[in-house]
Amino acid sequence: MVRLSGEITGVNAERIGRRLQKATESRASILEIDLADVRYVSSAGGTAFVLALRAAQDRGTRVIATHVGAQPLGALRQLGLERALDVYEGDAPLSGPFDEC
Protein backbone atom coordinates (compact mmCIF):
# COMPACT_ATOMS: atom_id res chain seq x y z
CA MET A 1 0.00 0.00 0.00
CA VAL A 2 1.12 3.52 -0.78
CA ARG A 3 -0.30 6.33 1.36
CA LEU A 4 -0.40 9.75 -0.26
CA SER A 5 -1.16 13.07 1.39
CA GLY A 6 -1.67 16.73 0.63
CA GLU A 7 -2.25 17.85 -2.94
CA ILE A 8 -1.47 16.01 -6.16
CA THR A 9 -0.82 18.60 -8.86
CA GLY A 10 1.34 19.12 -11.90
CA VAL A 11 4.13 20.23 -9.57
CA ASN A 12 4.49 16.83 -7.90
CA ALA A 13 2.64 14.40 -10.21
CA GLU A 14 5.77 13.00 -11.85
CA ARG A 15 7.49 12.39 -8.50
CA ILE A 16 4.38 10.72 -7.08
CA GLY A 17 3.96 8.72 -10.29
CA ARG A 18 7.52 7.40 -9.99
CA ARG A 19 6.82 6.43 -6.38
CA LEU A 20 3.72 4.53 -7.49
CA GLN A 21 5.61 2.90 -10.37
CA LYS A 22 8.27 1.73 -7.92
CA ALA A 23 5.55 0.17 -5.77
CA THR A 24 4.52 -2.02 -8.70
CA GLU A 25 8.00 -3.54 -8.86
CA SER A 26 7.08 -5.97 -6.08
CA ARG A 27 4.79 -7.62 -8.63
CA ALA A 28 1.98 -7.84 -6.09
CA SER A 29 -1.39 -8.62 -7.62
CA ILE A 30 -2.90 -5.40 -6.21
CA LEU A 31 -1.46 -1.95 -5.61
CA GLU A 32 -3.55 -0.04 -3.08
CA ILE A 33 -3.22 3.75 -3.13
CA ASP A 34 -4.61 5.21 0.10
CA LEU A 35 -5.89 8.74 -0.51
CA ALA A 36 -7.31 9.39 2.98
CA ASP A 37 -4.99 12.37 3.50
CA VAL A 38 -5.20 13.76 -0.03
CA ARG A 39 -7.14 17.02 -0.07
CA TYR A 40 -6.87 17.90 -3.74
CA VAL A 41 -6.09 16.29 -7.09
CA SER A 42 -5.72 18.58 -10.12
CA SER A 43 -6.20 17.47 -13.69
CA ALA A 44 -2.43 17.62 -14.16
CA GLY A 45 -2.05 15.59 -10.97
CA GLY A 46 -3.88 12.77 -12.72
CA THR A 47 -0.58 12.07 -14.49
CA ALA A 48 0.60 10.31 -11.31
CA PHE A 49 -2.19 7.76 -11.63
CA VAL A 50 -1.61 7.28 -15.35
CA LEU A 51 2.06 6.49 -14.71
CA ALA A 52 1.08 3.98 -12.03
CA LEU A 53 -1.54 2.37 -14.25
CA ARG A 54 0.93 1.93 -17.11
CA ALA A 55 3.49 0.28 -14.86
CA ALA A 56 0.84 -1.88 -13.21
CA GLN A 57 -0.53 -3.03 -16.56
CA ASP A 58 2.94 -4.12 -17.66
CA ARG A 59 3.23 -6.23 -14.49
CA GLY A 60 -0.31 -7.56 -14.30
CA THR A 61 -1.08 -5.56 -11.15
CA ARG A 62 -4.54 -4.22 -10.39
CA VAL A 63 -4.61 -0.66 -9.00
CA ILE A 64 -7.16 0.43 -6.41
CA ALA A 65 -7.65 3.77 -4.68
CA THR A 66 -9.11 3.71 -1.18
CA HIS A 67 -10.42 6.34 1.24
CA VAL A 68 -11.05 8.70 -1.65
CA GLY A 69 -12.56 12.00 -0.54
CA ALA A 70 -15.08 14.11 -2.45
CA GLN A 71 -12.68 16.36 -4.37
CA PRO A 72 -10.20 13.64 -5.38
CA LEU A 73 -13.13 11.43 -6.39
CA GLY A 74 -14.56 14.19 -8.58
CA ALA A 75 -11.16 14.74 -10.21
CA LEU A 76 -10.65 11.02 -10.89
CA ARG A 77 -14.12 10.82 -12.42
CA GLN A 78 -13.61 13.94 -14.53
CA LEU A 79 -10.36 12.47 -15.87
CA GLY A 80 -12.03 9.12 -16.56
CA LEU A 81 -9.58 7.35 -14.26
CA GLU A 82 -12.32 5.60 -12.28
CA ARG A 83 -12.76 3.38 -15.35
CA ALA A 84 -9.11 2.29 -15.20
CA LEU A 85 -8.69 1.82 -11.46
CA ASP A 86 -11.06 0.66 -8.75
CA VAL A 87 -12.14 3.54 -6.53
CA TYR A 88 -13.47 3.17 -2.98
CA GLU A 89 -14.62 5.91 -0.66
CA GLY A 90 -13.67 3.68 2.29
CA ASP A 91 -11.77 0.42 2.66
CA ALA A 92 -11.58 -1.99 -0.24
CA PRO A 93 -13.59 -5.20 0.18
CA LEU A 94 -11.70 -7.95 1.96
CA SER A 95 -12.67 -10.60 -0.55
CA GLY A 96 -14.38 -11.02 -3.86
CA PRO A 97 -13.96 -9.04 -7.04
CA PHE A 98 -13.06 -5.40 -6.80
CA ASP A 99 -15.90 -3.32 -8.15
CA GLU A 100 -16.18 0.42 -8.32
CA CYS A 101 -18.24 1.99 -5.56
Side-chain angles (χ1 to χ4, degrees):
M1 176 191 339
V2 176
R3 285 190 175 99
L4 301 178
S5 62
E7 298 184 350
I8 303 173
T9 66
V11 172
N12 60 10
E14 189 173 329
R15 178 180 50 82
I16 291 170
R18 284 193 307 269
R19 180 177 170 200
L20 296 174
Q21 285 176 318
K22 186 168 179 62
T24 67
E25 292 175 3
S26 70
R27 298 201 181 267
S29 61
I30 297 171
L31 169 61
E32 178 181 351
I33 305 170
D34 186 337
L35 300 179
D37 295 324
V38 172
R39 298 180 312 272
Y40 178 76
V41 176
S42 72
S43 57
T47 301
F49 299 97
V50 172
L51 293 171
L53 286 164
R54 285 183 184 158
Q57 183 178 26
D58 291 345
R59 292 175 173 87
T61 301
R62 181 175 225 153
V63 180
I64 66 172
T66 57
H67 308 108
V68 181
Q71 193 288 327
L73 179 61
L76 294 175
R77 284 184 175 154
Q78 182 179 11
L79 296 168
L81 290 170
E82 86 284 1
R83 291 183 300 231
L85 54 87
D86 296 317
V87 177
Y88 300 93
E89 293 180 41
D91 291 330
L94 295 176
S95 62
F98 288 97
D99 295 318
E100 182 180 9
C101 293

